[in-house]
């Protein structure tokens, strides 16, 4: 009888951190709020990225966790040669389980080589280092200004493809 009670108590008491975190927090509320973020990511003593945002909401208490930047982001990325690329957006959401970032509202990506992408919405797959959208975009590269409905590219724009294009494109004869 004592063994049965001990086994029952052992299995009924779970140490589940996620359940403890949910206590006192409504289901739709963030578990944390950060304001005036200035996050610097370094690797081997070199700054690789700087993230600035007025506000971040942490929804890691959800089954499909995410972080929401309701007042926009400014992200500066440095390559191995310390050349700077910038990303700005009015709103961003990062899905932690899939490493997918959804950037919305006046999205601008500017590279050190003066290539610039303008979009209303853009997705960034952090694992594959791939950018894509099916929304209208404007891509400025060199003297070309390309408008289209959709965009696919690696993060360095070496395989950039604007879909359903129109605009001014320079052709060498």
């Amino acid at each position: 009888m004592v063994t049965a009670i001990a086994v029952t108590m052992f299995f009924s008491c779970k140490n589940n951190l996620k359940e403890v975190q949910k206590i006192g927090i409504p289901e739709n509320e963030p578990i944390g709020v950060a304001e005036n973020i200035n996050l610097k990511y370094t690797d081997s003593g070199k700054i690789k990225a700087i993230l600035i945002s007025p506000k971040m909401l942490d929804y890691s208490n959800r089954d499909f966790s995410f972080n929401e930047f309701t007042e926009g982001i400014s992200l500066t990325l440095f390559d191995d040669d310390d050349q700077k690329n910038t990303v700005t957006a009015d709103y961003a959401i990062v899905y932690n389980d899939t490493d997918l970032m959804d950037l919305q509202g006046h999205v601008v990506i500017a590279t050190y080589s003066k290539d610039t992408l303008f979009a209303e919405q853009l997705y960034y797959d952090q694992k594959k280092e791939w950018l894509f959208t099916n929304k209208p975009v404007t891509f400025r590269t060199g003297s070309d200004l390309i408008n289209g409905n959709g965009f696919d590219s690696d993060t360095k724009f070496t395989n950039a493809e604007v879909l359903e294009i129109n605009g001014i494109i320079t052709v060498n004869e």
Side-chain angles (χ1 to χ4, degrees):
M1 185 72 151
V2 173
T3 304
I5 292 173
V7 169
T8 303
M9 289 182 65
F10 178 74
F11 285 110
S12 66
C13 297
K14 294 181 182 177
N15 186 8
N16 189 337
L17 180 60
K18 287 200 178 223
E19 292 299 317
V20 172
Q21 287 176 334
K22 290 180 182 179
I23 295 173
I25 298 173
E27 184 75 20
N28 294 328
E29 294 296 317
I31 194 166
V33 177
E35 294 182 344
N36 300 317
I37 299 169
N38 187 344
L39 176 69
K40 293 180 173 107
Y41 173 73
T42 61
D43 185 13
S44 303
K46 292 179 81 172
I47 292 180
K48 293 294 185 177
I50 300 171
L51 173 67
I52 297 173
S53 180
K55 189 175 195 177
M56 181 191 81
L57 304 175
D58 179 5
Y59 290 94
S60 60
N61 56 333
R62 297 233 180 137
D63 290 335
F64 192 69
S65 64
F66 61 92
N67 292 318
E68 186 177 30
F69 299 86
T70 57
E71 297 178 21
I73 64 163
S74 174
L75 178 63
T76 305
L77 303 164
F78 298 93
D79 65 12
D80 293 333
D81 299 324
D82 286 333
Q83 295 180 351
K84 181 171 75 169
N85 301 307
T86 61
V87 179
T88 58
D90 293 342
Y91 172 87
I93 187 166
V94 180
Y95 298 100
N96 301 326
D97 296 337
T98 60
D99 284 334
L100 188 67
M101 181 182 287
D102 180 1
L103 304 164
Q104 298 177 23
H106 299 100
V107 180
V108 178
I109 298 178
T111 69
Y112 68 91
S113 60
K114 308 243 186 292
D115 292 338
T116 310
L117 176 70
F118 303 91
E120 278 304 307
Q121 183 175 27
L122 186 69
Y123 296 98
Y124 172 50
D125 186 328
Q126 296 177 75
K127 288 180 184 173
K128 295 179 181 177
E129 295 187 353
W130 199 258
L131 301 160
F132 60 96
T133 187
N134 61 354
K135 303 277 179 146
V137 298
T138 300
F139 184 50
R140 184 181 310 149
T141 178
S143 61
D144 298 337
L145 184 62
I146 306 165
N147 297 311
N149 289 315
F151 184 79
D152 253 340
S153 179
D154 62 343
T155 55
K156 295 180 181 174
F157 292 149
T158 54
N159 294 317
E161 181 179 6
V162 177
L163 308 173
E164 298 177 24
I165 65 170
N166 62 60
I168 302 167
I169 302 170
T170 306
V171 178
N172 294 329
E173 295 183 46

